[in-house]
Amino acid sequence: MATLAQDAATETAVDPLDVSRGELYSEDRWQEPFERLRAESPVHYVPASDFGAYWSVSTYKPIVEVESLPDIYSSEAGGITLADFDENMPGAVKMPMFIAMDRPKHTGQRRTVAPAFTPSEMVRMTDNIRTRTSEILDALPWGQEFDWVDTVSVELTTQMLAILFDFPWEDRRKLTFWSDWAGDIELFKDEEKRLERLQHMHECAAYFGNLWQQKIGKEPTPDLISMMIHSDAMSEMDQMEFLGNLILLIVGGNDTTRNSMSAAAYGLDLFPDERAKLEANPALTHNATQEIIRWQTPLAHMRRTATQDTMLEGQQIKAGDKLALWYLSANRDRSIFGDDADQIVVDRPNARRHLAFGHGIHRCVGARLAELQISVLLEEMAKRRMRVNVVGEPVRVKACFVHGYRKLPVEISRY
């Protein structure tokens, strides 16, 4: 007869291949289970997790297949994260956003904001990005410990968001605050936190609603709110859809770039030979930018929901099943990136093939801007011969969606 201790052990048994567990990321232990999944079961069914049953898609080829078939694998049917939306859940509110829409609505809304991220816009913004990056780097204390995440990564990305939204400069840290609350899917497990999140999202909507009102009837300007107002696809959004798209653009512009900027400091310190290679040859900067984004993969997964019964890598997927596309794992797929896929290699020939921005119709609309900001940061550091030395373990985000850093203690020195 089973003992109580055995019963308790069974109840608390952890599925080692359930990679949705937040502690895997806060403790930086996600590499081994993903390695097993890629080797043994690239499309793997997890019958029970904190987010319910789901399929883990962990290698490059099937993720590209899923992303290439948006009519079979929907973004709209269940949203883009493993957390299910339940309208009966206290603190839950539906916030439609174009990344979580299917065609044709997705096409029109994406087209509305895309002009903010064209190559010509990147040229227009470069001087501004360089000036602000220089100011932040010039204010850093040499030879003293400080937090790279807050002082550099958060500040640079928050400034950029403020410019994109024509957001009041003195209030720009609100954008970081809202982004952190919006992007944390772990909150869905806790009713109190869900209600608190809802309150912060309403504050965000009210603030942006005021900015929207101020721009109605005015001439178009090159910021995202004006672009929405002056478009057929987005000018008639209700408050929740407006909020949903704002949250998408804030999290997309904040979490991704900021965590890649932190990875530039942490990862290059972790691989000093590669850092030396980059320091000796600044021409590698643009490739190194792609490699840092690949190595970090700041959004670990996106979710799709099957709209019909289908087959994927020999597995029977049923209509209604949810699939987690683990970009984080695909970017370590040795069949694509070689046996050194777990390392940063600044001159990796195919670094640009990474899936950190997704693939297909939902590929990150702001990818060029993220690349530009990170490249400029590396270039300006090189001009100052600035080396970032990590002096303590980073505090990481405890979540399976945003893959990032809360704090990174560093000192800077010259090389």
Side-chain angles (χ1 to χ4, degrees):
M1 194 169 156
T3 65
L4 284 173
Q6 286 171 324
D7 282 345
T10 306
E11 276 180 20
T12 57
V14 169
D15 177 354
L17 295 179
D18 172 16
V19 282
S20 73
R21 294 174 288 131
E23 64 273 12
L24 289 175
Y25 304 91
S26 59
E27 296 166 13
D28 202 33
R29 293 189 292 109
W30 52 270
Q31 295 87 345
E32 191 273 333
F34 276 120
E35 203 167 315
R36 276 189 62 192
L37 283 170
R38 288 193 300 271
E40 299 168 20
S41 186
V43 179
H44 178 81
Y45 189 66
V46 178
S49 79
D50 285 349
F51 301 107
Y54 69 94
W55 289 93
S56 260
V57 189
S58 58
T59 53
Y60 194 98
K61 182 172 158 280
I63 288 181
V64 169
E65 181 178 338
V66 169
E67 292 271 53
S68 301
L69 298 168
D71 299 328
I72 296 175
Y73 300 102
S74 166
S75 300
E76 193 167 321
I80 55 165
T81 75
L82 275 176
D84 286 315
F85 175 78
D86 178 356
E87 59 194 19
N88 299 315
M89 189 188 280
V93 60
K94 198 163 184 65
M95 294 183 287
M97 53 185 75
F98 68 81
I99 196 173
M101 289 175 185
D102 296 331
R103 296 180 290 198
K105 195 167 183 185
H106 165 265
T107 311
Q109 294 203 355
R110 182 186 170 99
R111 206 174 273 151
T112 298
V113 300
F117 307 104
T118 58
S120 60
E121 274 299 287
M122 296 307 100
V123 171
R124 188 182 71 80
M125 287 184 188
T126 299
D127 285 348
N128 175 284
I129 291 170
R130 198 170 296 285
T131 300
R132 289 183 299 99
T133 304
S134 296
E135 285 170 358
I136 285 173
L137 293 182
D138 287 341
L140 296 178
W142 291 83
Q144 288 176 42
E145 183 179 321
F146 65 94
D147 176 15
W148 181 267
V149 172
D150 188 70
T151 314
V152 179
S153 308
V154 170
E155 187 54 31
L156 272 175
T157 48
T158 305
Q159 287 184 10
M160 188 72 252
L161 278 174
I163 290 165
L164 281 173
F165 283 114
D166 192 18
F167 193 88
W169 197 249
E170 65 281 3
D171 282 348
R172 65 187 181 278
R173 283 288 176 134
K174 288 181 187 290
L175 294 166
T176 309
F177 178 80
W178 291 328
S179 175
D180 287 346
W181 276 93
D184 188 351
I185 69 169
E186 300 296 309
L187 301 176
F188 283 82
K189 302 172 188 176
D190 181 326
E191 183 177 324
E192 204 173 297
K193 292 284 188 195
R194 281 199 310 274
L195 291 167
E196 190 176 348
R197 176 183 186 267
L198 183 58
Q199 184 186 334
H200 295 315
M201 295 302 95
H202 281 313
E203 289 163 6
C204 176
Y207 196 109
F208 271 101
N210 188 35
L211 296 183
W212 179 284
Q213 290 301 323
Q214 290 170 27
K215 287 180 180 287
I216 286 179
K218 302 274 172 64
E219 286 296 304
T221 47
D223 58 274
L224 290 167
I225 296 176
S226 182
M227 285 178 183
M228 291 180 189
I229 286 172
H230 291 277
S231 83
D232 292 338
M234 295 177 98
S235 58
E236 301 300 324
M237 292 182 293
D238 65 27
Q239 190 188 30
M240 283 301 118
E241 192 170 330
F242 177 48
L243 179 59
N245 278 315
L246 287 172
I247 294 303
L248 163 63
L249 293 163
I250 293 169
V251 173
N254 180 56
D255 284 342
T256 51
T257 312
R258 129 190 181 190
N259 288 314
S260 296
M261 286 176 168
S262 298
Y266 178 70
L268 290 172
D269 182 83
L270 205 58
F271 300 102
D273 292 350
E274 294 300 311
R275 176 170 65 188
K277 204 190 285 182
L278 180 61
E279 288 171 351
N281 183 6
L284 291 172
T285 295
H286 290 282
N287 199 74
T289 295
Q290 298 293 340
E291 176 68 350
I292 287 162
I293 295 168
R294 178 198 72 85
W295 182 79
Q296 178 60 26
T297 314
L299 289 179
H301 81 268
M302 283 285 171
R303 174 247 184 105
R304 300 290 181 258
T305 305
T307 59
Q308 61 189 64
D309 291 359
T310 186
M311 297 292 288
L312 183 65
E313 294 280 301
Q315 298 287 352
Q316 174 71 57
I317 311 292
K318 297 266 199 317
D321 283 1
K322 63 175 162 181
L323 300 89
L325 309 183
W326 295 107
Y327 302 149
L328 182 63
S329 176
N331 283 341
R332 305 295 178 98
D333 187 334
R334 291 191 175 93
S335 71
I336 303 292
F337 297 107
D339 290 340
D340 56 3
D342 283 323
Q343 297 161 32
I344 288 178
V345 178
V346 293
D347 54 357
R348 186 184 298 281
N350 67 344
R352 189 173 276 280
R353 280 192 72 188
H354 70 78
L355 293 177
F357 293 127
H359 181 83
I361 65 166
H362 290 288
R363 188 176 188 274
C364 176
V365 71
R368 284 194 196 97
L369 181 58
E371 292 163 356
L372 176 61
Q373 290 178 88
I374 296 158
S375 292
V376 168
L377 176 61
L378 292 174
E379 286 166 4
E380 292 303 316
M381 286 166 62
K383 277 183 197 170
R384 291 157 179 77
R385 300 187 70 80
M386 180 186 288
R387 177 181 289 169
V388 184
N389 308 291
V390 176
V391 295
E393 268 303 296
V395 178
R396 295 178 171 88
V397 175
K398 184 180 181 181
C400 69
F401 183 56
V402 172
H403 179 229
Y405 308 83
R406 297 261 182 239
K407 289 183 178 163
L408 181 63
V410 301
E411 283 182 5
I412 53 173
S413 60
R414 282 194 171 83
Y415 60 86

